[in-house]
Amino acid sequence: MFRRQVRTLGDVLWQYLRREGLETPLLQKRLIDNWEEVAGSLAARFTEEKFIRNQTLFVKISRPALRQDLNMMRSDLIVRLNQSVGAQIISDLRIY
């Protein structure tokens, strides 16, 4: 009799995503979607666009005062955004 290696469906799925190069884009999408939860509903209301390029999250904020407040919280936001997806996805945050 032989013993099979039993793995959960989640483990098999993540292994497939890694092999196909889809894990990072999926985590980047989740991180961008978590912006409202991490930054707050006020920041989300005045956010015009968000995208990730070269491990940097770029966020366009329409209110200058809010932009300045978020810039002062940059390091904390980076940590909280990465924690929200459980991986080191971004290393910098540019708020413009």
Side-chain angles (χ1 to χ4, degrees):
M1 192 174 269
F2 60 93
R3 178 179 271 179
R4 292 184 182 188
Q5 181 183 8
V6 178
R7 295 183 300 181
T8 65
L9 182 59
D11 291 341
V12 173
L13 183 60
W14 278 112
Q15 181 181 9
Y16 173 77
L17 290 173
R18 273 190 205 112
R19 188 176 64 235
E20 297 299 318
L22 299 172
E23 180 184 27
T24 301
L26 178 64
L27 290 174
Q28 288 176 347
K29 172 74 168 107
R30 283 186 181 173
L31 187 134
I32 288 172
D33 290 345
N34 287 341
W35 171 254
E36 181 176 359
E37 178 185 323
V38 172
S41 61
L42 179 67
R45 189 173 351 148
F46 295 109
T47 299
E48 293 183 357
E49 60 183 63
K50 314 171 282 247
F51 62 93
I52 296 176
R53 183 175 295 138
N54 296 329
Q55 292 187 328
T56 301
L57 175 62
F58 293 88
V59 180
K60 184 174 183 180
I61 303 290
S62 61
R63 301 286 186 210
L66 180 60
R67 187 179 321 132
Q68 183 62 31
D69 288 345
L70 291 173
N71 270 316
M72 289 189 295
M73 299 175 15
R74 266 182 53 221
S75 60
D76 184 45
L77 287 170
I78 292 169
V79 169
R80 290 174 39 203
L81 284 164
N82 284 325
Q83 285 176 347
S84 73
V85 294
Q88 180 72 26
I89 300 299
I90 61 169
S91 57
D92 196 11
L93 173 62
R94 301 284 170 99
I95 300 170
Y96 64 98

